[in-house]
Amino acid sequence: MPTAGQSSPPDEQQLIAAARAGDRRAFDSLVAPHVPSLRTFIYRLVCQPDDAADVAQDTLLTAFQKIAGFRGEASFRTWLFSIGTRKGLDLLRKRKRWPLDAQSRGEQRTLGDPEMKGTVDATIEQPEFVYEYRQHVAYCLSCVGRTLPPEQSAALLLKELLLFESRDAAKVLDMSESTFRHRLTAARVTMREGFEGLCALVGKQGVCYQCNKLRDYCPPDKRGRKVEPIADESLDPDEKLTRRLAVVRQVPLDVGDSRVHDLLLRYMSELWDRTPSV
């Protein structure tokens, strides 16, 4: 698969030509390498598993319907992600941004509701469940992202999670490269300042409270590796953020494989998406 910005190899060009002629099998083969990362991106952006699945499916349908108009001004990957990003942002603009303390307040509500708590407990007790710290760091990143303006969150995910070049991420978001860089910088600054002292994902003194609290909530035989704060105090907050983002990139792209986090995101969405931010 070519990286963002590279020209398509001959086999991809042949698939594009066949897909443009209406060949559905060619289209399916064309999008197949991009589907895992597309679904992961939309999942992290939207933060509601069912909505994310709908947006991803709608993206693929729209791409098939519009492939005849694809002229190759950008790579196919960039073109596909521009469709998915636009649909994800359209959804988020109808929703409320989450407050900075969304996770802690969501936790209080979940533990205080016997039905919610029972569902979480039953999910944790399933034989296949084991706490995976990288999944929870990724979950935290998603929650942090929902506190940002949607375009800032998308800029961060495209650049830091999917490693798009800035020029290609700018094309995805239909903005100049200088505007994209501004959105990305603003996203990082807001994450650092808003969560300073609350989360080691973005702060100098963060203790990974949510990550380790969920781990400790699990039965002893379900607990995986504990999240450790970044020990090197010589690193500035921006570098610490970069290192945590690198952890998120280690999470496999087959989203939806952590039922507990899917469940928590559904609860968070029910609580905040239609409730005014504070």
Side-chain angles (χ1 to χ4, degrees), residues 31-42:
V31 299
H34 307 291
V35 168
S37 57
L38 176 70
R39 287 177 173 166
T40 295
F41 167 71
I42 294 173

Side-chain angles (χ1 to χ4, degrees), residues 10-22:
D11 57 338
E12 184 173 273
Q13 293 176 8
Q14 292 169 4
L15 289 173
I16 290 172
R20 288 175 60 191

